Amino acid sequence: MEPIQNFTQLTAHLRQRQCRKRIAVVCANDPNTEYAVTRALEEGIAEFLMIGEQKILDRYPHSDLIQAIHVEAPDEAARKAVEMIRKGEADILMKGIINTDNLLHAILDKEKGLLPQGKILTHLAVMEIPSYHKLLFFSDAAVIPRPTLRQRIEMIWYAIHTCHRFGIKRPRVALIHCTEKVSAKFPHSLDYINIVELAEAGEFGDAIIDGPLDVRTACERASGDIKGIASPINGEADVLIFPNIEAGNAFYKSVSLFAKAEMAGTLQGPLRPVVLPSRSDSGLSKYYSMAMACLQATECPYPTVKE
């Protein structure tokens, strides 16, 4: 499989597979989610279980590929969607207009939720930036405020695994800091040294991991050359691992606003992919997040229903 380098290639790859994933959408009562659902139906990449108020669900297209499940209360809708995922009745869970904390409460329920014991919950995003020549993954911009060493290692594993799904055989992972220097003033930079040592020992498989690096050095070879920095990333980063949620989220918002980057993102750690868009995300961003989740849910347990 050739590496998927933009969202157009991602959609084309999913269409070629001719395998619709079943997505359970909770409280899909907003125009951007409606756009994403309609687009996914047209592109042939998904079918849907729409869980929420009947009056909202009635505005979606009538199709054999959409099953509406009337549940009045948002919390009940979240629990219902998680239950259906656990029973194998859906491949992917997606948030509509429901409070994130309410949905996470159902996902993180120790007895009936989706996060296996011992796993961490984190967020992995991918962006298509007009000025960058390939997709760029980054973590964590939404869930973990201050990752511990163990959490950061898990974040890297999730990112590498997803890169493999995108056909990136040897992902380059940059550990981001404001400078290339290690300092005890910034404990995460000390963690970076441990992570690089683990990577050099082969603990992450066939992946290139280096840091600390700043974003520009990680993504622009000329910047490293000017600074005299020799890094195996070589300005070709596939993944950026941010030191904390503030840095990741500021990057996420800034690049989408000022660089007009297209975004997608999913939660990592649950039994099945979870699409957790922001309320301000565009319909296109929500659609691309669906597509990312469909690629992560590689198996096809359901027959495609012909319209």
Side-chain angles (χ1 to χ4, degrees), residues 38-305:
T38 303
R39 176 84 180 267
L41 288 171
E42 292 172 351
E43 296 285 357
I45 68 171
E47 58 187 83
F48 294 91
L49 299 169
M50 310 299 291
I51 305 170
E53 295 182 61
Q54 190 64 51
K55 64 181 180 180
I56 300 299
L57 303 179
D58 283 343
R59 71 177 180 227
Y60 283 87
H62 292 283
S63 166
D64 291 339
L65 300 175
I66 294 183
Q67 179 184 349
I69 301 173
H70 173 65
V71 178
E72 193 73 28
D75 285 348
E76 185 184 349
R79 290 192 294 269
K80 178 66 175 177
V82 167
E83 178 188 0
M84 297 184 82
I85 293 285
R86 286 179 62 90
K87 289 181 176 179
E89 297 172 359
D91 304 297
I92 296 162
L93 177 63
M94 180 173 178
K95 171 183 173 284
I97 299 297
I98 178 177
N99 187 286
T100 297
D101 289 343
N102 294 63
L103 184 60
L104 287 179
H105 184 74
I107 292 171
L108 297 176
D109 185 291
K110 292 184 178 180
E111 295 182 0
K112 300 179 180 179
L114 298 179
L115 189 68
Q117 186 176 2
K119 302 297 289 183
I120 71 162
L121 188 73
T122 185
H123 186 267
L124 178 67
V126 59
M127 62 171 61
E128 181 181 328
I129 310 170
S131 58
Y132 202 54
H133 60 286
K134 58 183 176 179
L135 292 173
L136 184 62
F137 296 82
F138 61 99
S139 187
D140 179 320
V143 177
I144 303 177
R146 300 279 189 280
T148 64
L149 176 59
R150 175 180 173 271
Q151 288 172 328
R152 216 178 293 279
I153 287 171
E154 287 292 302
M155 289 160 61
I156 293 169
W157 267 118
Y158 291 141
I160 290 172
H161 181 72
T162 299
C163 282
H164 289 163
R165 289 282 187 264
F166 277 75
I168 304 167
K169 296 180 180 178
R170 196 182 192 196
R172 297 170 184 254
V173 181
L175 308 174
I176 299 301
H177 185 39
C178 58
T179 177
E180 291 78 21
K181 297 179 181 179
V182 176
S183 170
K185 294 180 181 179
F186 302 99
H188 62 266
S189 68
L190 302 178
D191 285 351
Y192 289 174
I193 298 302
N194 291 330
I195 291 169
V196 171
E197 290 175 350
L198 289 173
E200 291 174 346
E203 293 297 320
F204 292 95
D206 193 8
I208 298 172
I209 302 176
D210 195 27
L213 295 169
D214 68 22
V215 171
R216 188 157 191 167
T217 304
C219 298
E220 183 185 63
R221 181 175 179 177
S223 179
D225 291 342
I226 291 170
K227 292 183 176 182
I229 296 170
S231 169
I233 301 295
N234 202 27
E236 291 278 342
D238 296 294
V239 180
L240 308 180
I241 299 296
F242 283 96
N244 51 51
I245 197 170
E246 291 99 327
N249 194 270
F251 179 78
Y252 179 101
K253 299 292 175 58
S254 299
V255 179
S256 60
L257 177 60
F258 296 114
K260 307 302 179 186
E262 298 293 351
M263 298 280 187
T266 61
L267 290 181
Q268 309 294 300
L271 294 170
R272 306 296 290 170
V274 176
V275 179
L276 194 77
S278 168
R279 287 173 294 177
S280 62
D281 282 351
S282 68
L284 194 57
S285 176
K286 292 186 177 186
Y287 166 67
Y288 288 146
S289 294
M290 282 184 185
M292 179 183 180
C294 287
L295 187 64
Q296 289 175 313
T298 53
E299 298 179 2
C300 189
Y302 305 110
T304 297
V305 178

